[in-house]
Amino acid sequence: MVQKTKQARTGAECSAEAMRQINPDVVAAYPITPQTPIMHAFSQYVADGKVDTEFITVESEHSAMSACVGSSAAGARTMTATSANGLALMWEVVYIAASTRLPIVMNVVNRALSGPINIHCDHSDSMGCRDTGWIQLYSENGEEAYENTLMAVRIAEDPNVLLPVMVCQDGFITSHSVETVELIDDESARGFVGEYHPKDALLDTDKPVTYGPLDLFDYYFEHKMQQIDAMEHAKDAIRKVFDEFGQLTGKKYDFFEGYLLEDAERVIVCANSSAGTTKVVVDELRAKGEKVGLLKPRVFRPFLAEQVVEKLKHAKSVAILDRAASFGGHGGPFFNEFRSAFHEEKEKPAIINYIYGLGGRELDLAQLRAIFEELKAVASGDVGHNVRYSGVRE
Amino acid sequence: MVNIRELAVEKERLAPGHRMCPGCGLAIASRMILKATKDPVVVANATGCLEVSTTIYPFTAWRIPWIHNAFENAGATISGVESAFRALKKKGKISSDKEIKFLAFGGDGGTYDIGLQSLSGALERGHDFVYVCVDNEGYMNCLSLDSLIQTEEGLKKITDLRVGEKVYAFDQKTGNLVLKRCTGIFDNGIKEVFEVSTDHHSIKATSNHPFLVVQRNGKQTRSSLAWKKLENLKQGDEVVTLKRIAKGKSYTFKKIIASKKGDYKVNKINPVTLPKRTSPELMEFFGLFVGDGWVREEKTEVGFALPEKKEGRNRLIQTFRKAFGQDITSFDKLYVYIYSVNLSRFITSLGFGKGAKSKTLPSWVFTLPEDEKEAFVRGLMLSDGYKLGESNRYVSASPELLRTLRLLLQTMNYRVGKIHIQTKKKGTFVVYRKLLEDSSYGYIAFSRKKKPDMKRYLSQIKQRDYLADNQWFSTEKITSIKLVKKEPTLDLRVEGEHNFIADGIVVHNTGIQRSSSTPFGAWTNTSQVGSAHQGKEQFRKDLTAIIAGHHIPYVAQASIHNYVDLLKKAEKAFNVKGPAFINVICPCIPGWKISSNQTVQVAKLAVDTCFWPLFEIENDVWTLNFDPGENKKPMTEWLKLQGRFKHLFRPENQDRLEKIQKHIDERWEWLKKQCGK
Ligand SMILES: Cc1ncc(C[n+]2csc(CCOP(=O)(O)OP(=O)(O)O)c2C)c(N)n1
Ligand code: SF4
Ligand SMILES: [Mg+2]
């Protein structure tokens, strides 16, 4: 029988706790704020013998992901974690991990990318990874980071998927804040995650395989098609894992989670901790009788366009919030994806975009109230600029 | 070669006012190296402590061109800068006789680990630059900020606090001031920070921070104290505040290295017997110093702007005689001077700050007994204070001094007002001095708390101050709660209760993780000590020898404790054509768990134990610069000074100590052979 306990934990501790329960074979990581507390806690688990993971303290993130690729190909259940510059330095190998179809799980503690250097939260790091071939899960709070990390292992290792998974949480805002979270007991967590049975492990010397051969115009495209198909299969796998885990925790998980959405006329779409802040404003405005709601993406890759349409089509106006800029593009990455989901639809809401929170700039209640207010005019047909900015000084 | 005396007077290229920890080895190394050439220098700095703590937009401590690109590419970055220089010279856009030295700084992480490729490439390509590895044996990358907590050892920055240290707290059962162990320091995330003010106190905290408030319950007797979160506080609520801290004791000064005649060229050593510990007279003297004094260490001068016939001048002469057993002999109409090498050093070492705008109160002042604190305040008042009826006013140009003084007064049973800042025009008189330029001045007003007749009026008094009969605490009404801003916050966990005494909340960002330079056995945050592991399990790599494998013109290993050797090496490195590399050992206060006055001692022992030999390689010729011979010290002498090795001294780790000694002995023999010995 599953036992649930409530504990006060930071988001980073939640990820570390999930890693402890998973007890991966290999972890290779390199420190970078705000990911570091995950590795500090995990290092203590290693020192105390609470996990028997091989913890490779590499000399850079480039080497961290490179070591993960080797270890995963060798057949080990492999995990890592990073942020911002660290993720950027891994880039090359991040693609290789996905293309080699290695089920690595990586916690990404979202932090703004450098130039100038900044340690606080935005999503420029993981948004830049959206085309790398990794599955991406987003976490509103520590509890979701914990759940997503456990589920990520199962999703990644599904034989029809075999893709790496990134579990994102907001740097500092989530990673360093203590909140009450509900965790499940070790035995249930381990039972859920199960044993990893790798196929085609490098270390299986009786069945030699070649990883990463030269792959030119005659096959490369087909291999990419297989990756594209794997992402398609991931949709089923994710649904299955969500349902199974939901039976343990008694909660419902979905690709896009609505909050007071059914009859909402004006809707905000945003990921990670901002969704929590938005709920406060939704409650407040609902109390005044305003029909407002929230849609929170939990899974951004693969992108379930049909569910977006279904969940948002009844709304009059929608604001898509992007915590990342796409320089020279028409709006941020979420905006482009969500808006184009509606292209063929006859009935659709007016959709606008807000870029917000870059470099850790806070998103406060007043900003969200203002956005809901501006959505009134948008709903009545006055769209104006459809790419807007919230919280930046003039 | 540049001599030390010349160096002392030269303008620093790295300005003071950076945020490196006091006693940081990096600060010493980088400043010394920058002094080894008179040519202009352009610096490329890898991400790390030196970079983080010397810049934060819009401030910089660098007085020379400086670039930070990223963590792993200082070598590549400086090679780009140097190539551009050559290109522009070739095109005649820069004059052909222009000289510039190119210097890259990287930490051990940025050099041994992540940036090694980048450095190796730049060395192999043969750019004309000097690369200095400021090796503190780990990823320290600290960012220290400024919230103050009342601890057993005085006022401390929240970021300097360590788990296990004792902080003052309120014991709810007995109503006493108690010392409690700090059991955790954690990041609280980016939060809205509010300022809660009473007439005499203000504290910044997040909305979920608990405060102790009086719960009035009709009849006085049924009132009690209860915790309330900030978000539930309102104006008029009565919060518990600190009246005074526990009885202090006289402070024993740390020894300073006294100069003797002949140490270096000074006209007058003018010996003064330095007191061993504080006394009321000495504290009054310091009060006068903080108000009106200055130190010019290079001139061995301690001066006071105390005009003739001022009461302050009389007291200065008297207190100096009592505290130092000597008379002051040098004055004019406006100023008093004392010339003494050791006195000026002594005063500098106390941490009062040097100039009028940077004066402050060091934390030890908070731990003094009441009479010494009173004497100190008396001295201050004689310099820049005046009375206005019952109330005292103290004026200063240093906001930091006002802030710390306000906290001191609050612990002394004074009622203290807010800090007022005002700008005065040139020519106005402030206290009794004419301003030479437009200045910004602040003042605070304070007065003795009156002693009410407790016996007779207890219940009425308790209506106003619920803790009126408590020795340490009182209650005050909240006058305002304001949202200040959103910022990253830190919090403490204190054993037993969530309560400690602080004035604010701040940002932090600490590291201390292992690198491939971290020694075997050392604790770091990623080489923890537990039942299965005992700190780092690999020996450090010999980076200097690896660099030597590039066969560049100059490679050296140096230490911050030996200035002469370090300078000589830096000079040679700047002078060779082509790449040069110096690896400098730079002790780190929090990372090595040493105190801030042990930096030089620990660096020296690293050399005396042959853990960190001093040597250089000029055009592939290896030379040993220092051989302790018979006096080679055992490794344990170095290890035992540092908290990061503490666990190695447990009986079960004896074999680890032996393993370390054996390793060091082998490396030393290898090096001697390499150097033809
Ligand atoms: C690619 C990348 N990975 C990680 C970091 C995070 N980081 C910044 S400084 C630092 C450690 C610095 O250590 P070191 O070079 O020894 O310098 P120190 O701070 O000890 O002087 C780390 C891990 C980063 N900025 N960029
Ligand atoms: S002492 Fe250590 S942590 Fe402090 S500034 Fe120096 S290197 Fe950084
Ligand atoms: Mg270092």
Side-chain angles (χ1 to χ4, degrees):
Chain A
M1 199 36 210
V2 57
Q3 277 171 15
K4 295 180 254 181
T5 48
K6 286 212 155 72
Q7 300 185 11
R9 297 281 184 145
T10 63
E13 285 168 359
C14 287
S15 298
E17 187 62 12
M19 288 176 73
R20 182 187 63 72
Q21 293 183 324
I22 293 163
N23 190 14
D25 304 312
V26 174
V27 168
Y30 194 76
I32 182 163
T33 303
Q35 168 271 131
T36 28
I38 300 181
M39 282 307 138
H40 287 180
F42 192 73
S43 173
Q44 189 69 56
Y45 294 145
V46 173
D48 294 340
K50 292 197 174 144
V51 290
D52 44 22
T53 305
E54 270 310 311
F55 183 34
I56 320 179
T57 46
V58 277
E59 91 304 330
S60 78
E61 285 87 356
H62 198 276
S63 303
M65 189 47 72
S66 303
C68 285
V69 165
S71 141
S72 186
R77 184 176 268 165
T78 305
M79 296 183 78
T80 182
T82 193
S83 295
N85 297 37
L87 185 54
L89 182 64
M90 284 179 181
W91 217 260
E92 191 190 10
V93 201
V94 166
Y95 270 88
I96 295 169
S99 308
T100 314
R101 308 288 299 279
L102 300 171
I104 298 163
V105 172
M106 169 160 67
N107 267 278
V108 172
V109 182
N110 288 114
R111 152 177 163 178
L113 281 173
S114 275
I117 196 163
N118 176 302
I119 55 169
H120 295 295
C121 174
D122 72 30
H123 299 161
S124 50
D125 51 1
S126 61
M127 279 303 140
C129 273
R130 68 191 189 276
D131 295 340
T132 56
W134 284 60
I135 291 169
Q136 289 194 335
L137 308 182
Y138 285 81
S139 324
E140 180 183 324
N141 47 38
E143 184 167 302
E144 292 196 0
Y146 166 79
E147 297 166 341
N148 284 346
T149 306
L150 289 177
M151 291 192 279
V153 176
R154 285 282 305 275
I155 297 167
E157 292 171 1
D158 185 303
N160 287 323
V161 179
L162 289 179
L163 287 176
V165 182
M166 219 173 264
V167 176
C168 305
Q169 64 176 289
D170 280 351
F172 289 106
I173 306 168
T174 304
S175 64
H176 288 58
S177 316
V178 182
E179 278 176 290
T180 312
V181 294
E182 192 171 80
L183 310 178
I184 61 171
D185 63 286
D186 289 2
E187 205 182 315
S188 306
R190 292 200 173 132
F192 168 75
V193 171
E195 282 297 312
Y196 175 41
H197 302 289
K199 257 179 49 194
D200 306 323
L202 263 188
L203 298 180
D204 186 356
T205 48
D206 292 337
K207 205 169 99 265
V209 286
T210 300
Y211 271 88
L214 180 65
D215 192 23
L216 303 179
F217 44 76
D218 44 357
Y219 280 109
Y220 182 88
F221 202 165
E222 282 71 27
H223 289 140
K224 292 297 130 181
M225 272 318 292
Q226 290 181 357
Q227 256 179 278
I228 292 167
D229 289 344
M231 272 290 182
E232 243 357 91
H233 300 153
K235 292 177 181 172
D236 291 336
I238 291 170
R239 167 83 60 217
K240 216 174 68 203
V241 171
F242 274 0
D243 290 347
E244 200 179 315
F245 194 66
Q247 285 180 354
L248 279 183
T249 59
K251 290 164 68 178
K252 240 185 96 49
Y253 307 99
D254 207 345
F255 286 68
F256 297 95
E257 296 176 358
Y259 183 72
L260 301 181
L261 188 66
E262 288 70 42
D263 62 339
E265 292 171 355
R266 287 170 285 138
V267 178
I268 284 181
V269 175
C270 61
N272 278 10
S273 65
S274 305
T277 322
T278 307
K279 285 177 181 171
V280 176
V281 176
V282 168
D283 284 342
E284 186 186 294
L285 297 180
R286 282 274 173 178
K288 293 185 190 157
E290 298 190 29
K291 288 193 170 165
V292 295
L294 160 77
L295 183 72
K296 172 183 86 179
R298 187 149 184 156
V299 185
F300 181 50
R301 283 289 180 267
F303 187 76
L304 212 60
E306 56 277 19
Q307 195 179 67
V308 168
V309 171
E310 179 183 312
K311 295 215 171 188
L312 290 179
K313 65 171 182 245
H314 62 270
K316 293 202 172 116
S317 56
V318 175
I320 312 283
L321 271 54
D322 268 296
R323 200 162 196 155
S326 166
F327 303 100
H330 185 71
F334 272 178
F335 178 61
N336 280 292
E337 208 97 22
F338 280 80
R339 198 167 70 133
S340 55
F342 281 96
H343 186 75
E344 272 73 36
E345 301 302 313
K346 294 233 159 52
E347 299 281 298
K348 54 188 156 196
I351 303 177
I352 56 166
N353 186 204
Y354 287 87
I355 313 280
Y356 77 100
L358 302 189
R361 180 64 55 84
E362 194 74 352
L363 176 72
D364 63 22
L365 304 180
Q367 274 167 272
L368 288 161
R369 281 182 209 119
I371 291 173
F372 275 126
E373 190 59 35
E374 289 179 29
L375 281 179
K376 283 183 182 161
V378 176
S380 62
D382 176 14
V383 173
H385 285 293
N386 60 2
V387 179
R388 307 178 186 190
Y389 300 84
S390 178
V392 67
R393 286 192 292 267
E394 298 281 304
Chain B
M1 165 158 185
V2 221
N3 75 29
I4 303 238
R5 227 171 94 69
E6 268 174 49
L7 289 183
V9 294
E10 221 164 77
K11 193 166 175 187
E12 297 280 353
R13 288 170 151 166
L14 173 59
H18 54 70
R19 285 169 287 111
M20 278 180 272
C21 309
C24 173
L26 301 185
I28 303 175
S30 46
R31 281 168 42 212
M32 290 306 286
I33 283 163
L34 286 166
K35 286 180 174 187
T37 177
K38 289 210 164 16
D39 288 331
V41 179
V42 177
V43 172
N45 205 157
T47 309
C49 257
L50 183 62
E51 165 261 335
V52 169
S53 52
T54 51
T55 61
I56 182 162
Y57 184 84
F59 302 105
T60 179
W62 294 90
R63 291 183 173 137
I64 51 176
W66 180 92
I67 176 173
H68 160 242
N69 179 343
F71 185 20
E72 66 281 19
N73 57 8
T77 306
I78 200 73
S79 73
V81 179
E82 186 261 1
S83 303
F85 180 65
R86 281 184 289 112
L88 296 176
K89 259 190 169 176
K90 202 163 62 194
K91 293 189 173 173
K93 295 186 176 168
I94 291 179
S95 129
S96 62
D97 53 8
K98 171 95 185 160
E99 274 287 331
I100 296 181
K101 299 284 192 251
F102 297 97
L103 174 62
F105 282 117
D108 47 296
T111 310
Y112 285 65
D113 290 343
I114 201 166
L116 184 57
Q117 289 174 48
S118 168
L119 170 59
S120 175
L123 297 177
E124 182 266 341
R125 294 192 298 271
H127 299 276
D128 189 8
F129 73 109
V130 178
Y131 191 103
V132 174
C133 175
V134 277
D135 185 350
N136 54 15
E137 305 193 327
Y139 304 160
M140 304 318 184
N141 184 30
C142 94
L143 216 184
S144 59
L145 289 119
D146 68 340
S147 186
L148 304 173
I149 309 283
Q150 297 275 10
T151 77
E152 187 177 26
E153 289 155 27
L155 218 48
K156 270 205 173 169
K157 285 185 187 168
I158 191 166
T159 42
D160 290 346
L161 211 64
R162 295 280 162 260
V163 170
E165 275 188 69
K166 291 198 167 154
V167 301
Y168 278 110
F170 177 79
D171 183 329
Q172 220 179 320
K173 281 204 202 89
T174 60
N176 277 339
L177 181 69
V178 287
L179 279 168
K180 290 262 171 155
R181 253 168 37 86
C182 164
T183 56
I185 300 164
F186 58 93
D187 238 301
N188 208 6
I190 304 171
K191 291 276 157 70
E192 289 187 329
V193 174
F194 297 86
E195 188 172 36
V196 177
S197 306
T198 65
D199 281 344
H200 309 298
H201 288 82
S202 61
I203 178 165
K204 286 204 254 163
T206 51
S207 65
N208 60 358
H209 191 96
F211 283 76
L212 199 55
V213 297
V214 185
Q215 207 125 52
R216 297 275 178 200
N217 223 336
K219 279 203 203 93
Q220 211 275 109
T221 43
R222 279 202 278 136
S223 297
S224 59
L225 293 175
W227 291 100
K228 236 187 187 183
K229 286 191 178 172
L230 186 147
E231 60 195 3
N232 301 324
L233 290 179
K234 52 184 188 317
Q235 248 188 27
D237 275 352
E238 299 154 88
V239 290
V240 174
T241 58
L242 180 68
K243 205 154 28 178
R244 48 149 48 121
I245 51 176
K247 217 161 96 205
K249 53 176 191 293
S250 295
Y251 176 73
T252 309
F253 296 112
K254 308 238 160 69
K255 274 230 173 71
I256 63 156
I257 307 155
S259 290
K260 303 178 295 300
K261 268 232 163 69
D263 272 2
Y264 59 92
K265 282 188 203 150
V266 274
N267 335 350
K268 292 186 215 151
I269 285 263
N270 205 0
V272 162
T273 328
L274 298 178
K276 288 209 173 55
R277 68 180 67 81
T278 52
S279 64
E281 290 76 26
L282 185 64
M283 288 315 296
E284 188 172 340
F285 174 82
F286 285 149
L288 286 160
F289 172 78
V290 170
D292 280 329
W294 70 82
V295 179
R296 280 190 224 158
E297 238 190 300
E298 67 286 1
K299 290 191 161 180
T300 77
E301 171 186 291
V302 181
F304 294 82
L306 284 169
E308 269 180 347
K309 301 211 183 87
K310 267 275 300 180
E311 171 60 9
R313 184 183 282 204
N314 293 338
R315 289 299 299 161
L316 180 73
I317 294 168
Q318 287 163 15
T319 53
F320 187 73
R321 187 181 303 137
K322 277 233 168 110
F324 295 88
Q326 202 164 326
D327 280 327
I328 299 180
T329 48
S330 172
F331 342 72
D332 58 28
K333 262 207 162 92
L334 289 174
Y335 303 107
V336 180
Y337 304 93
I338 309 169
Y339 292 98
S340 159
V341 176
N342 293 335
L343 182 70
S344 61
R345 273 203 187 168
F346 171 62
I347 294 188
T348 309
S349 77
L350 298 175
F352 288 116
K354 286 187 179 172
K357 290 193 179 128
S358 62
K359 287 271 178 56
T360 184
L361 298 188
S363 60
W364 57 265
V365 174
F366 287 77
T367 64
L368 297 177
E370 208 74 352
D371 59 334
E372 294 187 6
K373 286 199 254 181
E374 286 294 348
F376 179 73
V377 173
R378 201 156 58 234
L380 275 178
M381 287 300 294
L382 281 172
S383 57
D384 288 336
Y386 57 96
K387 264 195 152 357
L388 216 77
E390 285 291 283
S391 155
N392 303 295
R393 283 203 175 179
Y394 183 76
V395 186
S396 169
S398 162
E400 194 51 32
L401 175 60
L402 290 173
R403 190 158 88 95
T404 43
L405 176 62
R406 185 164 187 258
L407 285 167
L408 181 74
L409 293 167
Q410 283 170 354
T411 66
M412 294 169 63
N413 210 14
Y414 279 106
R415 305 158 59 90
V416 195
K418 288 207 179 55
I419 298 174
H420 297 267
I421 303 282
Q422 45 188 222
T423 309
K424 294 243 157 126
K425 287 263 166 263
K426 176 173 156 179
T428 10
F429 278 83
V430 171
V431 193
Y432 51 88
R433 257 176 315 208
K434 200 162 161 185
L435 291 178
L436 300 175
E437 52 184 47
D438 289 2
S439 306
S440 184
Y441 267 80
Y443 73 85
I444 44 175
F446 59 100
S447 58
R448 267 273 165 246
K449 283 191 183 150
K450 283 199 206 74
K451 268 235 167 70
D453 183 345
M454 285 294 178
K455 279 215 184 86
R456 246 173 103 186
Y457 301 115
L458 188 63
S459 75
Q460 278 109 305
I461 293 164
K462 280 204 145 195
Q463 275 304 325
R464 206 180 62 229
D465 176 2
Y466 181 69
L467 293 176
D469 49 349
N470 186 299
Q471 205 184 341
W472 313 112
F473 295 93
S474 52
T475 64
E476 288 178 17
K477 282 213 168 103
I478 295 178
T479 52
S480 73
I481 303 172
K482 279 191 304 223
L483 175 65
V484 195
K485 59 180 157 190
K486 297 191 170 184
E487 56 182 29
T489 58
L490 263 192
D491 216 338
L492 300 185
R493 251 182 238 128
V494 177
E495 63 179 342
E497 284 162 302
H498 183 113
N499 105 51
F500 56 89
I501 295 159
D503 84 324
I505 288 163
V506 279
V507 189
H508 98 150
N509 172 19
T510 37
I512 315 182
Q513 296 108 0
R514 62 91 88 180
S515 77
S516 57
S517 163
T518 306
F520 175 90
W523 163 90
T524 71
N525 278 311
T526 54
S527 58
Q528 302 271 12
V529 176
S531 56
H533 295 272
Q534 295 287 310
K536 190 180 164 191
E537 281 171 350
Q538 301 79 19
F539 286 103
R540 58 195 307 285
K541 72 164 101 140
D542 187 353
L543 179 71
T544 316
I546 294 168
I547 301 297
H550 291 75
H551 308 297
I552 55 174
Y554 189 74
V555 178
Q557 193 159 287
S559 159
I560 52 121
H561 84 278
N562 191 334
Y563 295 159
V564 178
D565 180 70
L566 174 60
L567 265 173
K568 201 163 67 195
K569 286 174 176 167
E571 252 193 327
K572 280 187 186 174
F574 279 126
N575 287 339
V576 296
K577 266 264 155 264
F581 174 86
I582 309 176
N583 201 359
V584 189
I585 191 168
C586 300
C588 165
I589 309 305
W592 295 19
K593 297 186 184 252
I594 56 176
S595 61
S596 54
N597 58 358
Q598 285 181 308
T599 314
V600 173
Q601 182 195 5
V602 170
K604 181 168 187 304
L605 265 172
V607 173
D608 292 347
T609 52
C610 297
F611 168 82
W612 189 268
L614 304 182
F615 62 98
E616 63 191 338
I617 305 147
E618 290 169 282
N619 297 313
D620 282 338
V621 180
W622 293 58
T623 311
L624 200 57
N625 304 115
F626 174 74
D627 183 351
E630 298 284 273
N631 297 326
K632 178 167 176 269
K633 300 235 165 87
M635 274 301 283
T636 45
E637 292 213 10
W638 184 65
L639 299 170
K640 75 180 177 209
L641 290 180
Q642 305 170 53
R644 61 176 171 158
F645 296 116
K646 200 169 78 194
H647 53 283
L648 295 181
F649 291 88
R650 293 184 200 141
E652 68 270 24
N653 284 333
Q654 181 58 32
D655 58 327
R656 286 187 159 85
L657 287 177
E658 283 158 18
K659 195 167 158 183
I660 292 172
Q661 188 62 56
K662 181 159 166 284
H663 179 77
I664 294 298
D665 292 345
E666 284 167 11
R667 298 303 316 150
W668 175 239
E669 289 311 316
W670 177 86
L671 179 67
K672 282 204 291 196
K673 220 181 275 149
Q674 199 70 10
C675 296
K677 286 218 170 186

